[in-house]
């Protein structure tokens, strides 16, 4: 991520935080705007033109999206557009991230991150389902309809809206990657980090409490767990927080030993 994108992302997050009230429609509007921008290289280039002044860029946003999305989303989108992004793809990612954060804001105390994780676990454990939702050959409306059937009545409206958008605009990413990334952003907006903890068997409450204290101290914020049981680990733990992976499993140590002996 370039410095321009980091600054633009920080500005977008601050603009969202300054909003008194954010409902799910704001997130839906941002997702919809992102899909429009994603389908038009010309629009993406115009919105990310470093030579355009802010007045002209905001007028472009108003001309394209005025009357199509709500006032709050339009204001936030205008702020994103007048920021400087390192690339058009970063601009598109910025719109999507702000939509995810708006969905998290609108959810209140609902555990949207956990819903996304669980849905991702179900999808990636079923090859046919993963193909149905992620194949480029499947019509997008059919994929969205399938996601809706799976989530209606089983997840919050926020989780359903996020999944619909990710299925509709994957931008070359696999569905599992999409859901993990979205879950991490939702958790960050709610003020905590998420650790996926994989163990050979169930962990006790005392073990989880100790692990939570250790990780919170290391990362400087609250940590919540998504727990996965994988007997193939034999023993120990594999912990992933964002891009950080701590693999203390017995299977990893055995693999490392075999590699050393083979070398």
């Amino acid at each position: 991520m370039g410095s321009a994108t980091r600054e633009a992302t920080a500005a977008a997050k601050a603009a969202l935080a300054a909003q008194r009230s954010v409902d799910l429609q704001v997130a839906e509007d941002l997702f919809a705007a992102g899909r429009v921008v994603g389908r038009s290289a010309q629009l993406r280039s115009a919105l990310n033109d470093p030579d355009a002044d802010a007045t002209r860029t905001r007028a472009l946003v108003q001309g394209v999206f005025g009357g199509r999305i709500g006032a709050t989303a339009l204001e936030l989108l205008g702020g994103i557009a007048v920021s400087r992004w390192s690339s058009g793809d970063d601009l598109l990612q910025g719109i999507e991230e702000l939509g995810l954060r708006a969905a998290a804001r609108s959810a209140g105390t609902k555990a949207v991150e956990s819903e996304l994780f669980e849905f991702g676990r179900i999808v990636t454990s079923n090859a046919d389902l993963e193909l149905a939702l992620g194949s480029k050959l499947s019509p997008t409306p059919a994929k969205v309809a399938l996601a809706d059937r799976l989530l209606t009545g089983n997840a919050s409206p926020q989780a359903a809206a996020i999944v619909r958008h990710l299925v509709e605009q994957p931008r070359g990413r696999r569905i599992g990657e999409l859901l993990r990334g979205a879950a991490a952003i939702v958790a960050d907006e709610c003020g905590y980090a998420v650790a996926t903890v994989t163990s050979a068997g169930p962990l006790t409450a005392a073990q989880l409490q100790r692990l939570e204290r250790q990780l919170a101290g290391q990362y400087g914020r609250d940590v919540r767990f998504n727990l996965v049981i994988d007997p193939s680990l034999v023993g120990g733990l594999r912990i992933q927080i964002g891009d950080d992976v701590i693999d203390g499993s017995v299977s990893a140590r055995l693999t490392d030993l075999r590699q050393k002996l083979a070398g």
Side-chain angles (χ1 to χ4, degrees), residues 110-122 151 154-160 163 179 183 226:
K110 296 173 187 172
V112 176
E113 172 274 324
S114 295
E115 293 175 326
L116 294 173
F117 173 82
E118 182 60 21
F119 186 68
R121 187 189 64 78
I122 292 170
L151 290 169
N154 297 311
S156 65
Q158 285 80 8
V163 173
L179 291 165
N226 288 319

Side-chain angles (χ1 to χ4, degrees), residues 109-156:
T109 59
K110 296 173 187 172
V112 176
E113 172 274 324
S114 295
E115 293 175 326
L116 294 173
F117 173 82
E118 182 60 21
F119 186 68
R121 187 189 64 78
I122 292 170
V123 170
T124 55
S125 64
N126 185 318
D128 290 337
L129 179 57
E130 186 172 17
L131 182 63
L133 288 172
S135 174
K136 294 179 180 179
L137 301 177
S138 300
T140 297
K143 291 188 286 188
V144 172
L146 174 58
D148 273 336
R149 287 198 301 274
L150 293 170
L151 290 169
T152 299
N154 297 311
S156 65

Side-chain angles (χ1 to χ4, degrees), residues 11-232:
K13 289 166 62 177
L16 179 65
Q19 295 292 328
R20 283 189 169 186
S21 177
V22 174
D23 59 19
L24 181 56
Q25 189 59 52
V26 174
E28 296 264 30
D29 285 347
L30 288 168
F31 290 150
R35 292 193 293 272
V36 172
V37 174
R39 288 192 293 265
S40 172
Q42 182 179 5
L43 177 58
R44 197 158 57 251
S45 177
L47 292 175
N48 196 44
D49 182 358
D51 297 323
D53 61 38
T55 300
R56 193 174 85 186
T57 300
R58 285 190 181 275
L60 174 61
V61 171
Q62 178 65 42
V64 174
F65 296 103
R68 299 175 65 178
I69 63 177
T72 299
L74 190 65
E75 179 185 345
L76 292 169
L77 185 62
I80 289 174
V82 299
S83 294
R84 292 292 178 255
W85 298 84
S86 300
S87 69
D89 286 343
D90 283 359
L91 165 69
L92 192 56
Q93 174 61 35
I95 298 172
E96 179 174 282
E97 178 170 334
L98 204 63
L100 292 169
R101 291 182 179 279
R105 281 275 304 274
S106 73
T109 59
K110 296 173 187 172
V112 176
E113 172 274 324
S114 295
E115 293 175 326
L116 294 173
F117 173 82
E118 182 60 21
F119 186 68
R121 187 189 64 78
I122 292 170
V123 170
T124 55
S125 64
N126 185 318
D128 290 337
L129 179 57
E130 186 172 17
L131 182 63
L133 288 172
S135 174
K136 294 179 180 179
L137 301 177
S138 300
T140 297
K143 291 188 286 188
V144 172
L146 174 58
D148 273 336
R149 287 198 301 274
L150 293 170
L151 290 169
T152 299
N154 297 311
S156 65
Q158 285 80 8
I162 289 170
V163 173
R164 278 197 302 270
H165 168 71
L166 297 178
V167 168
E168 194 164 351
Q169 191 180 57
R171 292 192 288 122
R173 301 165 295 175
R174 294 176 65 88
I175 187 66
E177 175 191 355
L178 289 168
L179 291 165
R180 285 192 297 273
I185 291 170
V186 167
D188 181 71
E189 182 64 25
C190 295
Y192 58 88
V194 176
T196 299
V197 179
T198 306
S199 61
L203 300 177
T204 66
Q207 288 173 318
L208 289 173
Q209 288 173 356
R210 286 196 299 272
L211 184 59
E212 183 179 5
R213 286 196 298 270
Q214 292 170 354
L215 293 175
Q218 182 175 344
Y219 286 89
R221 63 192 321 185
D222 290 341
V223 177
R224 297 186 185 179
F225 297 135
N226 288 319
L227 303 176
V228 178
I229 304 298
D230 182 359
S232 70

